[in-house]
Amino acid sequence: MVLSPKVYTWLCGLFASLGSIIFGYDLGVIAGDTMGSRFNDPNLEGLITSILRIFAGMFPVAYFADTLGRRKTIQIGALVYMLGGALQTGARNMDMIWAGRFFAGFGIGIMADLAPLYQAEIAHPSIRGRLTTLQQFMLGIGAFAASWITYGTSAGLKGTQAEWRVPLGIQIIPAVPLFAFILLLPESPRWLAEKGRFDEATKTLAKLHAHGNVNDPFVVSQMEDIKAEIQKATEIGSVSWGELLTDSSNLRRVSLGYILQFSVQMTGVSAIQYYSTTIFTTMGFSATRVLLFQSINSVIALIGEACCVLWVDNTGRRLPLIIGNVASGLSFVVGSILMARWPGTVNKYAHYVSIDLTWIFNFFFSACIGPLSWAYPAEIYVFFFNDARAEHSLSSTRTRAKATAVTSSASWISNFFIAQVTPVAFSHIGWNESFTQCFAYGRSCPSCSALFVWAFYPETTGRRLEEMDALFHDAPLFVANTPYANKQDRHLAEKELREGAFLCSLVCIRRLFIISFCQGPLYPAIFQRGLVTLSTKKRILTNAMSI
């Protein structure tokens, strides 16, 4: 049976996100606290927990992705992670644990940054959300596996080295097929085109979207769209890191992505993921019961992530982020009140309700916030960069990997901060007082995030990646109650591409018109390639002269 192009593309994105299983599994193993007795110092506990991420999402990831390609960079991440996993599993002392966490964190950072980027660049516009939200879904699968494995080893291997070595050793398994077979997947057609390998890019697009038919209108239109963007970028030259901040549109998108990733950790999810075992134990529950709660929590998270994957292209990006922040904030607040009002083992019923609210929090986070914190930045980063000769800005695919690395660093840094502070707070003022202090925090942060998304985040559902230039240049800073906040038909972009009726951004065409006077007859080539419909040529020419 021949797979449909969308199913094939989705499966490619699914395999690329194996690194997210590793990510989630590692989170689950640390949350399982199987090594808790080996680092009782709160400062050391926070360091071991947070060192997973602090080296991830940094600038080398962008360099490798732009130089070697998306697949080879993911392969490097898997190799580095296997080294880290081996060091942790065979650790003879804490120094080996630190070294293992360092390499594991670096490898996870590479895979976590590149998977959504790769998925966005190979996806059909109508299923891009389903592909990029796989990051969180596969993370949930990893956490699910880790929670039950640590539950089993805690119950059956209690007090032995195997209790923690077995879970740490299993984490290496998903990295092996990812390392071995990632090169069998098609490379990002946009990266191939950026490197001037247009024939390969066309064949790759055809393989992904048209059963290999390079003459399919959908493939031809996409290649013309990509070529137009690359030709604009080629006329300008190389792109620097500084270009991300020197243009108002660039700064806007970097800021929106950075704030979104940072706000995710400010919901309190990391504290709950890492230290819920500590909190539940102080309520009087046994260690085995606590790990059972963790395992149930991972099932609920997986259900929420599956809901997001299935529905995100129908609901849009803005609505789930708003609803998720409001619901998770309310559940966090009520749970904190109950734990503060009835501390210790005073009221078991209140504690069970608190656990239920933790599960509710986790469902809304997993169904709305977590997946979109990776998906939204991955699709908005087709950037403008400055052209001193034309005194305007043009877009470049080459900045997408750089911007994704910058954005992801917000998640790693905020996670490092929370993982470092939380065990120290528990040690000095106790978990009860810590959660009392978190009441105002839990009430304000998600509420502010929901309001911020409503006010400033344009809707991206159904748009082509090459269309993001126009969206963020034309949309006002305050997008609430404007057309830019509305979800468009997710099939519209594909329909336009198949019919050859899509429009180059009027803004980009105006800029090309200016550059044509500086560097050659670039503007007429737009019409020759069919990048705009005949009915719009006269209007564009008229408007371009009004710059």
Side-chain angles (χ1 to χ4, degrees), residues 59 238-252 254 383-387 393 398-399 402-403 406:
F59 304 129
S238 62
V239 182
S240 67
W241 287 93
E243 298 288 353
L244 302 181
L245 304 176
T246 55
D247 184 273
S248 60
S249 179
N250 294 4
L251 182 60
R252 177 184 182 183
V254 170
F383 273 107
F384 295 105
F385 59 91
N386 290 331
D387 174 23
S393 302
R398 286 172 288 179
T399 55
K402 293 182 176 68
V406 171

Side-chain angles (χ1 to χ4, degrees), residues 471-492:
L471 174 64
F472 280 89
H473 185 275
D474 298 340
L477 184 63
F478 186 85
V479 299
N481 300 321
T482 71
Y484 299 98
N486 298 332
K487 181 182 72 69
Q488 68 178 29
D489 181 4
R490 68 186 180 96
H491 297 289
L492 179 61

Side-chain angles (χ1 to χ4, degrees), residues 211-291:
H211 294 299
N213 181 9
V214 295
N215 297 316
D216 186 273
F218 186 50
V219 174
V220 173
S221 295
Q222 284 188 93
M223 275 309 302
E224 294 297 342
D225 206 8
I226 293 170
K227 285 179 180 178
E229 179 196 350
I230 291 173
Q231 185 167 0
K232 292 181 290 180
T234 303
E235 293 293 326
I236 302 304
S238 62
V239 182
S240 67
W241 287 93
E243 298 288 353
L244 302 181
L245 304 176
T246 55
D247 184 273
S248 60
S249 179
N250 294 4
L251 182 60
R252 177 184 182 183
R253 275 179 273 185
V254 170
S255 299
L256 291 179
Y258 203 91
I259 290 169
L260 180 60
Q261 285 276 13
F262 197 90
S263 68
V264 167
Q265 304 303 326
M266 294 300 105
T267 61
V269 65
S270 289
I272 292 176
Q273 283 177 334
Y274 289 142
Y275 301 111
S276 55
T277 53
T278 302
I279 298 168
F280 296 156
T281 300
T282 57
M283 292 179 181
F285 296 110
S286 66
T288 304
R289 178 61 64 88
V290 167
L291 289 175

